[in-house]
Amino acid sequence: MASEDAAKAARKDARKAEKKAARKAEKRAEKLLVLRQEESRPQGRAEDQTSSMATASDGVPAPAAKRLKTDVGGPSQMDVDAYLALHEITIHEAGAPAPCLSLAAAPFKAPLLKLLMAQPTFTAPSAVQAASWPVAALGRDVLAIAKTGSGKTLGFLLPVLSRCGTAERAAAKGAPLGLIMAPTRELALQIHAEAAKYGACVGVRAAAIYGGASKETQVRALRRGVELIIGTPGRIKDILDTRGGGKQAECGCGAFELLVLDEADRMLDMGFERDIRDIVWQAFGHGDGYRPHQTFLYSATWPLEVQGIASDLLTEAVKVTVGSGGDKLTANRSVAQRVHVVDGSRRWETFVELIAGGAGREGSRCIVFANRKDTVASIAKYCQGEGLACECLSGDRSQAQREGTIRRFKAGEVTLVIATDVAARGLDIKGIERVINYELPADDFQDYVHRIGRTGRAGATGEADSIFTDADRRYAKELTRIMTEAGQPIPPAL
């Protein structure tokens, strides 16, 4: 008990220190922003920034964190230590730059900063953003391990947009500069929507490239000229003609200088490793190696498979870990997890009680997960009969139908979505208050963490209810671990 009280007191002190540090950093960062806006020249490219680093007597660049202390608006070491401790951030390189503690301190061009700071629900960088943005600004490869819902998309997207400067775009003559790969169509479309939103203010265009939709339409978008290709490995492989060595490629590959692998662990789980390697070689291969480029690899877990591809595709990357990370998936502490241990015959009755408690009512959003398409259809039929604005999201629906459901869910026209694990990743919708697991994942229990990660995103809180029966006993130990590490109460029956 004493150790628990001490830990609580330490967390409380850390929060106080962080708030104080954030206030100081905000004031300093505002001064820094004014100075940036007054500079006559545009922000230099990452390699120029790197070359201008202070150099020690032995010719090795001085540690970035020490240099930043002397910058206008730079956080003190006490500020940095408090922030890292509170947010469980580990930056695995002693000389890496300190995290940016406020949006105003983000290392981006003025138009992008202005738009970023104008977002009403975006008041501070998430932990992974704060730690990775300064690293990315130096042109270093970034390897980030962070839980689902932690803000990874803007963690890589804003640095990528900043790198697509006027000079780079002019030199590329309409050819793409960046390539972003994601495991699912839904995630690719989410990233593309953010790229369109933030890219407009810096003149960066993006094309979404994915299967299940018209290839001709996507090719036309490429031919009009884009700076970013965002898509899934299968369709990107076709567009770049990796099988034919690029002879029939729909766009030039010579200008590529940025690569992003988002949710790398999921892409490898889905069997995309060979496709990824072929695409990277087609886009960046040169002679016996690769042309110089900057790579961002983001993942929720750090298994051996991800370690292997990271070792091959990244160069002297700075690794950033948020939370425990590592080989095992961790849940978002902002999500209140409740597990209802019942007899299998009471599964439906328990679900009806959960729905009757207000899930999916007007003004709220909820996702219900089930394992089979026919189960999804049955649940949706019942909920629609109860007068709920409910639709399905499963693999048997066309891409147009799925996109329509997601669009209506975002707009609030649909408040309850019944889904298979097609929605477990890549569905980044603000305001999802609750997730209900009608059934726990049947094949890969990692999907439990990704399912409940649809709520409690980007600093918000959420709730997750899961129905647990005797058929799920094989998952009891892992579920207990996940809940314990997230600070959730464990039901005695579990």
Short mmCIF file of all heavy atoms in Angstrom, two decimals, residues 181-249:
data_model
loop_
_atom_site.label_atom_id
_atom_site.label_comp_id
_atom_site.label_asym_id
_atom_site.label_seq_id
_atom_site.Cartn_x
_atom_site.Cartn_y
_atom_site.Cartn_z
N MET A 181 2.62 3.90 -46.80
CA MET A 181 1.93 2.60 -46.88
C MET A 181 1.20 2.30 -45.58
O MET A 181 1.73 2.53 -44.49
CB MET A 181 2.92 1.48 -47.18
CG MET A 181 3.33 1.39 -48.62
SD MET A 181 4.36 -0.06 -48.95
CE MET A 181 5.99 0.66 -48.78
N ALA A 182 -0.02 1.76 -45.70
CA ALA A 182 -0.84 1.39 -44.56
C ALA A 182 -1.48 0.03 -44.84
O ALA A 182 -1.63 -0.35 -46.01
CB ALA A 182 -1.92 2.44 -44.31
N PRO A 183 -1.88 -0.71 -43.81
CA PRO A 183 -2.37 -2.07 -44.02
C PRO A 183 -3.76 -2.17 -44.62
O PRO A 183 -4.07 -3.16 -45.29
CB PRO A 183 -2.34 -2.68 -42.62
CG PRO A 183 -2.44 -1.52 -41.70
CD PRO A 183 -1.71 -0.41 -42.37
N THR A 184 -4.64 -1.19 -44.40
CA THR A 184 -6.02 -1.31 -44.85
C THR A 184 -6.47 -0.09 -45.64
O THR A 184 -5.90 1.00 -45.51
CB THR A 184 -6.98 -1.47 -43.65
OG1 THR A 184 -6.95 -0.27 -42.86
CG2 THR A 184 -6.57 -2.66 -42.77
N ARG A 185 -7.51 -0.30 -46.43
CA ARG A 185 -8.07 0.81 -47.20
C ARG A 185 -8.58 1.91 -46.28
O ARG A 185 -8.41 3.10 -46.56
CB ARG A 185 -9.23 0.29 -48.07
CG ARG A 185 -8.77 -0.64 -49.18
CD ARG A 185 -9.94 -1.30 -49.87
NE ARG A 185 -10.51 -2.37 -49.06
CZ ARG A 185 -11.35 -3.29 -49.52
NH1 ARG A 185 -11.73 -3.26 -50.79
NH2 ARG A 185 -11.82 -4.23 -48.75
N GLU A 186 -9.24 1.48 -45.19
CA GLU A 186 -9.80 2.46 -44.26
C GLU A 186 -8.72 3.37 -43.68
O GLU A 186 -8.89 4.59 -43.62
CB GLU A 186 -10.56 1.76 -43.13
CG GLU A 186 -11.90 1.16 -43.54
CD GLU A 186 -11.76 -0.07 -44.42
OE1 GLU A 186 -10.73 -0.77 -44.34
OE2 GLU A 186 -12.69 -0.34 -45.21
N LEU A 187 -7.61 2.77 -43.27
CA LEU A 187 -6.53 3.58 -42.71
C LEU A 187 -5.91 4.48 -43.77
O LEU A 187 -5.59 5.64 -43.52
CB LEU A 187 -5.47 2.69 -42.07
CG LEU A 187 -4.29 3.40 -41.41
CD1 LEU A 187 -4.77 4.44 -40.41
CD2 LEU A 187 -3.36 2.40 -40.74
N ALA A 188 -5.73 3.95 -44.98
CA ALA A 188 -5.18 4.76 -46.07
C ALA A 188 -6.06 5.99 -46.33
O ALA A 188 -5.56 7.10 -46.54
CB ALA A 188 -5.03 3.93 -47.34
N LEU A 189 -7.37 5.78 -46.31
CA LEU A 189 -8.29 6.90 -46.54
C LEU A 189 -8.27 7.90 -45.39
O LEU A 189 -8.40 9.11 -45.61
CB LEU A 189 -9.71 6.36 -46.76
CG LEU A 189 -9.93 5.69 -48.12
CD1 LEU A 189 -11.26 4.93 -48.14
CD2 LEU A 189 -9.89 6.72 -49.24
N GLN A 190 -8.11 7.40 -44.17
CA GLN A 190 -8.01 8.31 -43.02
C GLN A 190 -6.76 9.19 -43.15
O GLN A 190 -6.82 10.41 -42.92
CB GLN A 190 -7.93 7.51 -41.71
CG GLN A 190 -9.16 6.67 -41.41
CD GLN A 190 -10.27 7.47 -40.76
OE1 GLN A 190 -10.09 8.64 -40.46
NE2 GLN A 190 -11.41 6.85 -40.55
N ILE A 191 -5.64 8.58 -43.50
CA ILE A 191 -4.39 9.34 -43.67
C ILE A 191 -4.54 10.35 -44.80
O ILE A 191 -4.11 11.50 -44.71
CB ILE A 191 -3.21 8.38 -43.93
CG1 ILE A 191 -3.00 7.45 -42.74
CG2 ILE A 191 -1.93 9.18 -44.20
CD1 ILE A 191 -2.02 6.32 -43.02
N HIS A 192 -5.17 9.90 -45.90
CA HIS A 192 -5.36 10.79 -47.06
C HIS A 192 -6.21 12.00 -46.68
O HIS A 192 -5.92 13.13 -47.12
CB HIS A 192 -6.01 10.02 -48.20
CG HIS A 192 -6.26 10.86 -49.42
ND1 HIS A 192 -7.49 11.45 -49.69
CD2 HIS A 192 -5.43 11.26 -50.42
CE1 HIS A 192 -7.40 12.14 -50.80
NE2 HIS A 192 -6.18 12.04 -51.27
N ALA A 193 -7.24 11.80 -45.88
CA ALA A 193 -8.09 12.91 -45.46
C ALA A 193 -7.29 13.93 -44.65
O ALA A 193 -7.45 15.15 -44.85
CB ALA A 193 -9.27 12.40 -44.63
N GLU A 194 -6.42 13.46 -43.77
CA GLU A 194 -5.58 14.37 -42.99
C GLU A 194 -4.55 15.06 -43.89
O GLU A 194 -4.25 16.25 -43.71
CB GLU A 194 -4.86 13.60 -41.87
CG GLU A 194 -5.79 13.05 -40.80
CD GLU A 194 -6.46 14.16 -40.02
OE1 GLU A 194 -5.81 14.80 -39.18
OE2 GLU A 194 -7.67 14.41 -40.26
N ALA A 195 -4.03 14.32 -44.87
CA ALA A 195 -3.05 14.92 -45.79
C ALA A 195 -3.70 16.02 -46.62
O ALA A 195 -3.08 17.07 -46.88
CB ALA A 195 -2.47 13.84 -46.70
N ALA A 196 -4.95 15.81 -47.03
CA ALA A 196 -5.65 16.85 -47.80
C ALA A 196 -5.92 18.08 -46.94
O ALA A 196 -5.77 19.22 -47.40
CB ALA A 196 -6.96 16.27 -48.34
N LYS A 197 -6.29 17.84 -45.69
CA LYS A 197 -6.61 18.93 -44.78
C LYS A 197 -5.38 19.80 -44.49
O LYS A 197 -5.44 21.03 -44.60
CB LYS A 197 -7.16 18.35 -43.48
CG LYS A 197 -7.40 19.35 -42.36
CD LYS A 197 -7.91 18.63 -41.12
CE LYS A 197 -8.09 19.57 -39.94
NZ LYS A 197 -8.59 18.84 -38.74
N TYR A 198 -4.28 19.16 -44.10
CA TYR A 198 -3.09 19.92 -43.71
C TYR A 198 -2.20 20.26 -44.91
O TYR A 198 -1.44 21.24 -44.87
CB TYR A 198 -2.29 19.15 -42.67
CG TYR A 198 -2.96 19.11 -41.32
CD1 TYR A 198 -3.73 18.02 -40.93
CD2 TYR A 198 -2.85 20.18 -40.43
CE1 TYR A 198 -4.36 17.98 -39.68
CE2 TYR A 198 -3.47 20.16 -39.19
CZ TYR A 198 -4.23 19.06 -38.83
OH TYR A 198 -4.87 19.05 -37.61
N GLY A 199 -2.28 19.46 -45.96
CA GLY A 199 -1.42 19.71 -47.11
C GLY A 199 -1.82 20.93 -47.93
O GLY A 199 -0.98 21.54 -48.58
N ALA A 200 -3.10 21.28 -47.87
CA ALA A 200 -3.59 22.40 -48.68
C ALA A 200 -2.86 23.70 -48.36
O ALA A 200 -2.58 24.50 -49.26
CB ALA A 200 -5.09 22.58 -48.48
N CYS A 201 -2.52 23.91 -47.08
CA CYS A 201 -1.90 25.19 -46.70
C CYS A 201 -0.44 25.30 -47.12
O CYS A 201 0.14 26.39 -47.08
CB CYS A 201 -2.05 25.42 -45.20
SG CYS A 201 -1.03 24.36 -44.18
N VAL A 202 0.17 24.17 -47.51
CA VAL A 202 1.57 24.21 -47.96
C VAL A 202 1.71 23.71 -49.40
O VAL A 202 2.82 23.43 -49.86
CB VAL A 202 2.48 23.38 -47.01
CG1 VAL A 202 2.68 24.11 -45.69
CG2 VAL A 202 1.93 21.98 -46.77
N GLY A 203 0.58 23.61 -50.10
CA GLY A 203 0.62 23.26 -51.51
C GLY A 203 0.99 21.83 -51.81
O GLY A 203 1.54 21.53 -52.89
N VAL A 204 0.69 20.91 -50.90
CA VAL A 204 1.03 19.50 -51.10
C VAL A 204 -0.24 18.72 -51.43
O VAL A 204 -1.23 18.76 -50.70
CB VAL A 204 1.69 18.90 -49.84
CG1 VAL A 204 1.96 17.41 -50.03
CG2 VAL A 204 3.00 19.63 -49.55
N ARG A 205 -0.18 18.00 -52.56
CA ARG A 205 -1.32 17.20 -53.01
C ARG A 205 -1.05 15.72 -52.75
O ARG A 205 0.10 15.28 -52.80
CB ARG A 205 -1.56 17.43 -54.50
CG ARG A 205 -1.82 18.88 -54.88
CD ARG A 205 -1.53 19.11 -56.37
NE ARG A 205 -0.11 18.91 -56.67
CZ ARG A 205 0.41 18.94 -57.90
NH1 ARG A 205 -0.38 19.18 -58.94
NH2 ARG A 205 1.70 18.75 -58.10
N ALA A 206 -2.13 14.96 -52.51
CA ALA A 206 -1.98 13.53 -52.22
C ALA A 206 -3.00 12.73 -53.00
O ALA A 206 -4.11 13.21 -53.29
CB ALA A 206 -2.14 13.29 -50.72
N ALA A 207 -2.64 11.51 -53.33
CA ALA A 207 -3.56 10.58 -53.99
C ALA A 207 -3.70 9.33 -53.12
O ALA A 207 -2.70 8.82 -52.60
CB ALA A 207 -3.03 10.20 -55.38
N ALA A 208 -4.94 8.86 -52.97
CA ALA A 208 -5.20 7.62 -52.22
C ALA A 208 -5.24 6.46 -53.22
O ALA A 208 -6.00 6.48 -54.18
CB ALA A 208 -6.52 7.72 -51.48
N ILE A 209 -4.39 5.47 -52.98
CA ILE A 209 -4.22 4.35 -53.90
C ILE A 209 -4.54 3.05 -53.14
O ILE A 209 -3.77 2.65 -52.26
CB ILE A 209 -2.78 4.29 -54.45
CG1 ILE A 209 -2.38 5.64 -55.08
CG2 ILE A 209 -2.61 3.15 -55.42
CD1 ILE A 209 -3.20 6.02 -56.28
N TYR A 210 -5.66 2.41 -53.48
CA TYR A 210 -6.05 1.21 -52.72
C TYR A 210 -6.95 0.33 -53.59
O TYR A 210 -7.59 0.79 -54.55
CB TYR A 210 -6.78 1.61 -51.45
CG TYR A 210 -7.98 2.50 -51.67
CD1 TYR A 210 -9.26 1.99 -51.81
CD2 TYR A 210 -7.81 3.89 -51.76
CE1 TYR A 210 -10.34 2.81 -52.04
CE2 TYR A 210 -8.89 4.72 -51.99
CZ TYR A 210 -10.16 4.18 -52.13
OH TYR A 210 -11.23 5.00 -52.36
N GLY A 211 -7.03 -0.94 -53.25
CA GLY A 211 -7.86 -1.88 -53.99
C GLY A 211 -9.33 -1.73 -53.65
O GLY A 211 -9.69 -1.08 -52.68
N GLY A 212 -10.17 -2.35 -54.47
CA GLY A 212 -11.61 -2.29 -54.23
C GLY A 212 -12.24 -1.04 -54.79
O GLY A 212 -13.43 -0.80 -54.58
N ALA A 213 -11.48 -0.22 -55.48
CA ALA A 213 -12.00 1.00 -56.11
C ALA A 213 -11.37 1.12 -57.49
O ALA A 213 -10.42 0.40 -57.83
CB ALA A 213 -11.67 2.22 -55.26
N SER A 214 -11.88 2.04 -58.29
CA SER A 214 -11.43 2.18 -59.67
C SER A 214 -9.95 2.55 -59.76
O SER A 214 -9.53 3.60 -59.27
CB SER A 214 -12.26 3.26 -60.37
OG SER A 214 -11.68 3.62 -61.61
N LYS A 215 -9.17 1.70 -60.40
CA LYS A 215 -7.76 1.98 -60.60
C LYS A 215 -7.58 3.15 -61.55
O LYS A 215 -6.68 3.99 -61.37
CB LYS A 215 -7.04 0.75 -61.14
CG LYS A 215 -5.55 0.94 -61.38
CD LYS A 215 -4.90 -0.33 -61.89
CE LYS A 215 -3.43 -0.12 -62.20
NZ LYS A 215 -2.79 -1.37 -62.72
N GLU A 216 -8.44 3.24 -62.57
CA GLU A 216 -8.33 4.30 -63.57
C GLU A 216 -8.48 5.68 -62.92
O GLU A 216 -7.76 6.62 -63.26
CB GLU A 216 -9.39 4.10 -64.66
CG GLU A 216 -9.14 2.93 -65.59
CD GLU A 216 -9.35 1.57 -64.90
OE1 GLU A 216 -10.12 1.54 -63.91
OE2 GLU A 216 -8.76 0.58 -65.36
N THR A 217 -9.44 5.80 -62.01
CA THR A 217 -9.64 7.08 -61.33
C THR A 217 -8.40 7.47 -60.53
O THR A 217 -7.99 8.63 -60.53
CB THR A 217 -10.86 6.99 -60.38
OG1 THR A 217 -12.01 6.66 -61.14
CG2 THR A 217 -11.08 8.31 -59.66
N GLN A 218 -7.80 6.50 -59.87
CA GLN A 218 -6.61 6.76 -59.08
C GLN A 218 -5.43 7.13 -59.98
O GLN A 218 -4.64 8.03 -59.65
CB GLN A 218 -6.29 5.54 -58.22
CG GLN A 218 -7.37 5.25 -57.18
CD GLN A 218 -7.19 3.90 -56.50
OE1 GLN A 218 -6.21 3.19 -56.74
NE2 GLN A 218 -8.13 3.55 -55.63
N VAL A 219 -5.31 6.46 -61.12
CA VAL A 219 -4.23 6.77 -62.06
C VAL A 219 -4.37 8.19 -62.60
O VAL A 219 -3.38 8.92 -62.74
CB VAL A 219 -4.21 5.74 -63.21
CG1 VAL A 219 -3.27 6.20 -64.33
CG2 VAL A 219 -3.76 4.37 -62.69
N ARG A 220 -5.61 8.60 -62.88
CA ARG A 220 -5.83 9.97 -63.37
C ARG A 220 -5.36 11.00 -62.33
O ARG A 220 -4.77 12.02 -62.68
CB ARG A 220 -7.30 10.18 -63.71
CG ARG A 220 -7.72 9.55 -65.03
CD ARG A 220 -9.03 10.15 -65.53
NE ARG A 220 -10.14 9.86 -64.64
CZ ARG A 220 -10.89 8.76 -64.72
NH1 ARG A 220 -10.64 7.86 -65.67
NH2 ARG A 220 -11.89 8.58 -63.88
N ALA A 221 -5.64 10.71 -61.07
CA ALA A 221 -5.19 11.62 -60.01
C ALA A 221 -3.67 11.72 -59.99
O ALA A 221 -3.09 12.80 -59.82
CB ALA A 221 -5.71 11.15 -58.66
N LEU A 222 -3.00 10.58 -60.16
CA LEU A 222 -1.53 10.58 -60.20
C LEU A 222 -1.01 11.40 -61.36
O LEU A 222 -0.04 12.15 -61.22
CB LEU A 222 -1.01 9.14 -60.30
CG LEU A 222 -1.06 8.27 -59.06
CD1 LEU A 222 -0.61 6.85 -59.40
CD2 LEU A 222 -0.19 8.84 -57.96
N ARG A 223 -1.63 11.25 -62.50
CA ARG A 223 -1.14 11.93 -63.70
C ARG A 223 -1.36 13.44 -63.66
O ARG A 223 -0.69 14.18 -64.38
CB ARG A 223 -1.80 11.31 -64.94
CG ARG A 223 -1.27 9.90 -65.21
CD ARG A 223 -1.96 9.25 -66.38
NE ARG A 223 -1.37 7.92 -66.64
CZ ARG A 223 -1.89 7.02 -67.47
NH1 ARG A 223 -3.01 7.31 -68.14
NH2 ARG A 223 -1.30 5.85 -67.64
N ARG A 224 -2.29 13.88 -62.83
CA ARG A 224 -2.47 15.34 -62.66
C ARG A 224 -1.33 15.93 -61.83
O ARG A 224 -1.15 17.14 -61.80
CB ARG A 224 -3.82 15.62 -61.99
CG ARG A 224 -5.01 15.45 -62.91
CD ARG A 224 -6.27 16.08 -62.32
NE ARG A 224 -6.71 15.39 -61.12
CZ ARG A 224 -7.57 14.37 -61.10
NH1 ARG A 224 -8.08 13.92 -62.25
NH2 ARG A 224 -7.94 13.82 -59.97
N GLY A 225 -0.59 15.07 -61.16
CA GLY A 225 0.54 15.50 -60.35
C GLY A 225 0.20 15.51 -58.87
O GLY A 225 -0.75 16.16 -58.46
N VAL A 226 0.97 14.76 -58.09
CA VAL A 226 0.80 14.73 -56.64
C VAL A 226 2.17 14.68 -55.98
O VAL A 226 3.16 14.26 -56.61
CB VAL A 226 -0.04 13.51 -56.17
CG1 VAL A 226 -1.44 13.54 -56.75
CG2 VAL A 226 0.66 12.19 -56.50
N GLU A 227 2.22 15.09 -54.72
CA GLU A 227 3.46 14.99 -53.95
C GLU A 227 3.51 13.74 -53.09
O GLU A 227 4.58 13.23 -52.78
CB GLU A 227 3.62 16.23 -53.05
CG GLU A 227 4.06 17.48 -53.78
CD GLU A 227 3.00 18.02 -54.73
OE1 GLU A 227 1.84 18.21 -54.30
OE2 GLU A 227 3.34 18.26 -55.92
N LEU A 228 2.32 13.23 -52.71
CA LEU A 228 2.27 12.06 -51.84
C LEU A 228 1.39 10.97 -52.41
O LEU A 228 0.28 11.24 -52.89
CB LEU A 228 1.73 12.45 -50.45
CG LEU A 228 2.52 13.44 -49.61
CD1 LEU A 228 1.80 13.69 -48.29
CD2 LEU A 228 3.92 12.95 -49.36
N ILE A 229 1.88 9.74 -52.35
CA ILE A 229 1.06 8.56 -52.63
C ILE A 229 0.77 7.89 -51.30
O ILE A 229 1.68 7.58 -50.54
CB ILE A 229 1.78 7.58 -53.57
CG1 ILE A 229 1.92 8.18 -54.96
CG2 ILE A 229 1.05 6.25 -53.62
CD1 ILE A 229 2.65 7.29 -55.95
N ILE A 230 -0.51 7.69 -51.01
CA ILE A 230 -0.93 7.08 -49.75
C ILE A 230 -1.80 5.87 -50.09
O ILE A 230 -2.82 6.03 -50.77
CB ILE A 230 -1.74 8.07 -48.89
CG1 ILE A 230 -0.91 9.33 -48.61
CG2 ILE A 230 -2.18 7.42 -47.58
CD1 ILE A 230 -1.72 10.48 -48.04
N GLY A 231 -1.40 4.68 -49.66
CA GLY A 231 -2.20 3.54 -50.05
C GLY A 231 -1.79 2.24 -49.41
O GLY A 231 -0.96 2.19 -48.50
N THR A 232 -2.39 1.17 -49.92
CA THR A 232 -2.13 -0.18 -49.43
C THR A 232 -1.09 -0.86 -50.34
O THR A 232 -1.01 -0.53 -51.54
CB THR A 232 -3.42 -1.00 -49.41
OG1 THR A 232 -4.06 -0.91 -50.70
CG2 THR A 232 -4.38 -0.46 -48.36
N PRO A 233 -0.32 -1.79 -49.79
CA PRO A 233 0.77 -2.38 -50.58
C PRO A 233 0.34 -3.01 -51.90
O PRO A 233 1.03 -2.87 -52.91
CB PRO A 233 1.35 -3.42 -49.62
CG PRO A 233 1.07 -2.88 -48.25
CD PRO A 233 -0.27 -2.23 -48.38
N GLY A 234 -0.81 -3.73 -51.91
CA GLY A 234 -1.22 -4.42 -53.13
C GLY A 234 -1.42 -3.49 -54.31
O GLY A 234 -0.89 -3.73 -55.41
N ARG A 235 -2.17 -2.42 -54.12
CA ARG A 235 -2.44 -1.49 -55.22
C ARG A 235 -1.20 -0.65 -55.56
O ARG A 235 -0.95 -0.36 -56.73
CB ARG A 235 -3.64 -0.60 -54.87
CG ARG A 235 -4.02 0.45 -55.90
CD ARG A 235 -4.32 -0.12 -57.29
NE ARG A 235 -5.42 -1.05 -57.34
CZ ARG A 235 -6.70 -0.72 -57.52
NH1 ARG A 235 -7.05 0.55 -57.62
NH2 ARG A 235 -7.63 -1.66 -57.61
N ILE A 236 -0.43 -0.27 -54.54
CA ILE A 236 0.80 0.49 -54.83
C ILE A 236 1.75 -0.35 -55.68
O ILE A 236 2.39 0.16 -56.61
CB ILE A 236 1.50 0.93 -53.52
CG1 ILE A 236 0.66 1.98 -52.79
CG2 ILE A 236 2.89 1.49 -53.80
CD1 ILE A 236 1.20 2.39 -51.43
N LYS A 237 1.81 -1.63 -55.37
CA LYS A 237 2.66 -2.54 -56.14
C LYS A 237 2.26 -2.54 -57.62
O LYS A 237 3.12 -2.52 -58.51
CB LYS A 237 2.55 -3.95 -55.55
CG LYS A 237 3.52 -4.95 -56.13
CD LYS A 237 3.39 -6.28 -55.40
CE LYS A 237 4.35 -7.32 -56.00
NZ LYS A 237 4.23 -8.61 -55.31
N ASP A 238 0.95 -2.52 -57.88
CA ASP A 238 0.46 -2.47 -59.27
C ASP A 238 0.80 -1.14 -59.92
O ASP A 238 1.23 -1.09 -61.07
CB ASP A 238 -1.05 -2.69 -59.29
CG ASP A 238 -1.45 -4.11 -58.92
OD1 ASP A 238 -0.57 -4.99 -58.99
OD2 ASP A 238 -2.61 -4.34 -58.56
N ILE A 239 0.58 -0.06 -59.19
CA ILE A 239 0.81 1.28 -59.74
C ILE A 239 2.27 1.49 -60.12
O ILE A 239 2.59 2.11 -61.14
CB ILE A 239 0.37 2.35 -58.72
CG1 ILE A 239 -1.15 2.35 -58.55
CG2 ILE A 239 0.87 3.73 -59.09
CD1 ILE A 239 -1.92 2.84 -59.75
N LEU A 240 3.17 0.95 -59.29
CA LEU A 240 4.61 1.11 -59.56
C LEU A 240 5.17 -0.01 -60.45
O LEU A 240 6.35 0.04 -60.81
CB LEU A 240 5.39 1.16 -58.24
CG LEU A 240 5.06 2.32 -57.28
CD1 LEU A 240 6.04 2.31 -56.11
CD2 LEU A 240 5.09 3.66 -57.99
N ASP A 241 4.33 -0.97 -60.77
CA ASP A 241 4.73 -2.09 -61.64
C ASP A 241 6.01 -2.77 -61.13
O ASP A 241 7.01 -2.87 -61.85
CB ASP A 241 4.94 -1.59 -63.08
CG ASP A 241 5.27 -2.74 -64.05
OD1 ASP A 241 4.76 -3.86 -63.83
OD2 ASP A 241 6.05 -2.52 -64.99
N THR A 242 5.97 -3.21 -59.88
CA THR A 242 7.16 -3.86 -59.32
C THR A 242 7.47 -5.17 -60.02
O THR A 242 8.64 -5.58 -60.10
CB THR A 242 6.97 -4.11 -57.81
OG1 THR A 242 5.84 -4.97 -57.61
CG2 THR A 242 6.77 -2.81 -57.06
N ARG A 243 6.45 -5.84 -60.54
CA ARG A 243 6.69 -7.12 -61.24
C ARG A 243 7.46 -6.91 -62.54
O ARG A 243 8.28 -7.74 -62.92
CB ARG A 243 5.35 -7.81 -61.53
CG ARG A 243 4.61 -8.29 -60.29
CD ARG A 243 3.32 -9.02 -60.69
NE ARG A 243 2.56 -9.44 -59.52
CZ ARG A 243 1.67 -8.67 -58.90
NH1 ARG A 243 1.46 -7.43 -59.35
NH2 ARG A 243 1.01 -9.12 -57.86
N GLY A 244 7.18 -5.79 -63.21
CA GLY A 244 7.83 -5.53 -64.49
C GLY A 244 9.02 -4.60 -64.38
O GLY A 244 9.47 -4.05 -65.40
N GLY A 245 9.50 -4.39 -63.16
CA GLY A 245 10.65 -3.53 -62.98
C GLY A 245 10.35 -2.06 -63.23
O GLY A 245 11.27 -1.27 -63.52
N GLY A 246 9.08 -1.67 -63.17
CA GLY A 246 8.71 -0.27 -63.34
C GLY A 246 8.48 0.18 -64.76
O GLY A 246 8.19 1.35 -65.01
N LYS A 247 8.56 -0.76 -65.72
CA LYS A 247 8.41 -0.37 -67.13
C LYS A 247 7.01 0.16 -67.43
O LYS A 247 6.85 1.02 -68.29
CB LYS A 247 8.74 -1.56 -68.03
CG LYS A 247 10.20 -2.00 -67.95
CD LYS A 247 10.45 -3.22 -68.82
CE LYS A 247 11.91 -3.67 -68.72
NZ LYS A 247 12.17 -4.89 -69.52
N GLN A 248 6.01 -0.36 -66.71
CA GLN A 248 4.63 0.07 -66.92
C GLN A 248 4.13 0.91 -65.73
O GLN A 248 2.92 1.01 -65.51
CB GLN A 248 3.72 -1.15 -67.11
CG GLN A 248 4.11 -2.06 -68.25
CD GLN A 248 3.96 -1.37 -69.60
OE1 GLN A 248 3.01 -0.60 -69.80
NE2 GLN A 248 4.87 -1.62 -70.52
N ALA A 249 5.03 1.50 -64.98
CA ALA A 249 4.63 2.29 -63.80
C ALA A 249 3.78 3.48 -64.22
O ALA A 249 4.00 4.08 -65.28
CB ALA A 249 5.87 2.77 -63.05
#
